[in-house]
Amino acid sequence: MNKTIIVSNRLPLQISIEGDKLNVTPSVGGLATGMKSVHAEGNGIWIGWSGITSEDLDSDLKSKVNAKIENAKCRAVELSSDDIDDYYLGFSNRTLWPLFHYFLEYTEFEKSHWEAYKRVNKKFAEVVLNTVEEGDTVWVQDYQLLLLPQLIKDVRPDITIGFFLHIPFPSYEIFRTFPWREELLTGMLGADLVGFHTYDYERHFLSSVKRIMRLEVNFNEITYYDRIIKVDSFPMGIDYNKFHDAALAHNNQNTEKSELQKRLDTHINEDNDKKFILSIDRLDYTKGIPNRIRAFENFLNTYPEYKEKVRLIMLTVPSRSNVPQYQKLKSETDELVGRINGEFSTVSWTPIWYFYRSLPFNNLIDLYTSSDVALITPVRDGMNLVAKEYVATRTNQDGVLILSEMAGAAKEMNEALLINPNSFEDFATALNKALKMPLEEQNSRMKILQKRLKRYDVEKWAKEFFKTLDETNQLQEVVISK
Ligand code: F6P
C-alpha cells in the first residue's frame, strides 16, 4: 500500500537520556502538535531527528532508541553535535528563523553554517530515499529542510513531493538580502506543491521566484523546465474536537481536579470580579513577550481600577536555549516580571503569574478553560495555533481572544480583538474592552470563530493539501504528455 512520508527536523517525540533511562516527551511547537493528528490517522511514516546526538548513542542505546521510534511509526535521521550546532542552532535558528521573521538585526550569514545546512539536508535525503517506494508521497515540513525537496526530486523524479512552510515567507526586499537565495528557492522548487499558511506568504514567495529566478509565473503556477509547480495557501487548523472534548470533560463536575486547577479556583473564589488573562508561547523573541509585559504594566497604569482585579498568567515554554538571543530574552523576561510584580504586588495580589516550563496537556486545558481573556500578541508569527486552541476550549462560548495582526491566524479570526502588538494604546484599549465585553457579544464572536475552526480543522487542512497535490500531479501528466 502506498504511504505518506512526513519529514521534519524533529520527530513528534523527543528522546533524552536520564541516567540509564530513556525519557520520551512530546515535541513542542505548532508543527509537531498539528501534524501529530495527521500522522496518527494515515498510513505512513515520520522521518526526523530523535533529540539525541550520535555521540551519545552506543550501539545498545541506539537499538533501544530505534525501537521506541519505530514503535511510534517513525524513523530517525542521525545527527552529530556539530550538525546540531551548525545546521540547527546555527543556520536554521540564527539565519533563517530571524530573517524570515523580519529580525534582520539578529540574522547571521555564516558560510560554515550554510555548509552544515546543505550537509544535513543531504542526510535527511538519504533516509528518505532509503524509505520511499514507488507510489509514495513525501511531505516535507518547514524551514530547516528547504533544500530537501530538490535533493529527493533529483534522484526520484517519479515521487510526488509536497512542501509546507510553517513560518512566514518574507517579502522580496528581505529575502533578496540572503546570500544563498537562489539555492534555497531551487531547493523548494523540487516540490510539486509548495504550501504556506497565508496568501501574503504565498505572494512573497512567488515574487521572489519571479525576480530572483526569473521564472514564468502564471497566477499560482510556476513553469520550471518541464515541470509545473503549484503554490497555494493552506491555513493550518488544530485538532478541534480533541481540545473541545477535553474542555467538556474538564468542566464535568465529576472529574478529579488537578493541583493547578485547585489553585486557579481558589483565586476565582476569592472574588468573583477577578479575571484571568492568559498568554502561552514558546520563549521566542518573535512572540513579543517583553513587549506584552510592558504593555500590561502600561495597562495597569492607564486603568488603575483593574489593580487587584486582573492577573496575567504567562506560560513560556523553554526553546532553543543554546542560542544567545534566547538566553538574553530569558533574562529580560525574568527581570521584567520581577520588576512589575515588585512594583504592583500587594499582600493579597501578584499581577503576573509566570511559569517557565512546558505543561502537560490537561494543565493547558485548565489554563484555557479558566481564563477570561487570551492575550496572544506575537510581533511576527507564521500562524499561531494557541489562539485557535483557546477558542476551541471555550465550550460555553464565553471568553475573549486578543490577537496580534502579525500572526497568520489573524487572517481567519476577524472576530477576535485584533491589535498592533507594537502599540501600547491598542493593548490597553483592547484589554479594557475585553474585560468589559457583555456576555452576548462574547458569545456571538466565539460562536463564529468556533464554527470556522471546527470546519477547517487540521484533518481538513491536510486533506486540502493532498487534494491540491493530486491535482498538481494530474497537471504534470498533461504537461509531460504534450
Ligand atoms: O512552528 C515552527 C517551528 O520552528 C517548528 O519547525 C518547530 O518544530 C517548532 O517551531 C519548535 O521549534 P524547535 O524545533 O526549534 O524547538
Side-chain angles (χ1 to χ4, degrees), residues 9-10 27-32 88 93 97 141-144 166-167 282 318-320:
N9 171 55
R10 273 186 206 280
S27 297
V28 297
L31 189 162
Y88 169 71
N93 290 320
W97 180 269
Q141 311 290 325
D142 230 356
Y143 64 101
Q144 301 92 343
H166 291 258
I167 66 173
R282 271 188 314 104
S319 182
R320 305 175 192 162

Side-chain angles (χ1 to χ4, degrees), residues 417-428:
L417 300 182
L418 298 182
I419 66 164
N420 177 346
N422 301 306
S423 158
F424 281 7
E425 287 77 25
D426 270 21
F427 264 99

Side-chain angles (χ1 to χ4, degrees), residues 5-11 14 46-51 75-80 83-84 87-88 92 116-132 138-149 151-152:
I5 302 174
I6 298 174
V7 199
S8 67
N9 171 55
R10 273 186 206 280
L11 286 174
Q14 287 299 283
W46 191 326
I47 292 176
W49 179 54
S50 68
R75 188 159 295 176
V77 178
E78 272 186 41
L79 300 183
S80 67
D83 291 339
I84 291 301
Y87 139 84
Y88 169 71
S92 299
Y117 187 78
K118 289 196 281 187
R119 178 181 76 234
V120 172
N121 270 252
K122 280 187 192 145
K123 284 194 179 183
F124 274 82
E126 234 170 76
V127 180
V128 174
L129 291 168
N130 285 333
T131 309
V132 77
V138 179
W139 194 6
V140 181
Q141 311 290 325
D142 230 356
Y143 64 101
Q144 301 92 343
L145 300 173
L146 295 174
L147 303 178
L148 184 57
L151 292 169
I152 303 169

Side-chain angles (χ1 to χ4, degrees), residues 252-303:
N252 181 339
Q253 300 290 330
N254 302 323
T255 343
E256 164 97 57
K257 289 190 174 170
S258 69
E259 284 310 309
L260 174 65
Q261 187 62 54
K262 286 182 199 156
R263 278 291 287 141
L264 293 164
D265 288 351
T266 318
H267 174 84
I268 295 165
N269 294 336
E270 271 168 19
D271 177 350
N272 264 336
D273 258 7
K274 276 195 182 162
K275 300 256 165 95
F276 281 135
I277 301 166
L278 176 69
S279 84
I280 301 185
D281 319 86
R282 271 188 314 104
L283 190 77
D284 196 300
Y285 50 83
T286 58
K287 305 291 183 183
I289 296 167
N291 208 47
R292 188 180 313 147
I293 302 172
R294 289 196 187 94
F296 183 62
E297 177 188 27
N298 173 69
F299 162 74
L300 290 176
N301 284 326
T302 314
Y303 296 98

Side-chain angles (χ1 to χ4, degrees), residues 439-468:
L439 196 57
E440 307 83 77
E441 185 178 347
Q442 295 180 28
N443 288 164
S444 66
R445 287 172 183 263
M446 265 303 162
K447 238 184 230 169
I448 307 176
L449 285 168
Q450 291 189 341
K451 196 168 162 205
R452 197 176 300 131
L453 294 187
K454 189 173 161 64
R455 200 173 44 212
Y456 201 86
D457 66 358
V458 70
E459 199 181 314
K460 177 89 177 167
W461 167 78
K463 268 199 189 131
E464 290 281 315
F465 187 93
F466 282 120
K467 194 171 137 239
T468 315

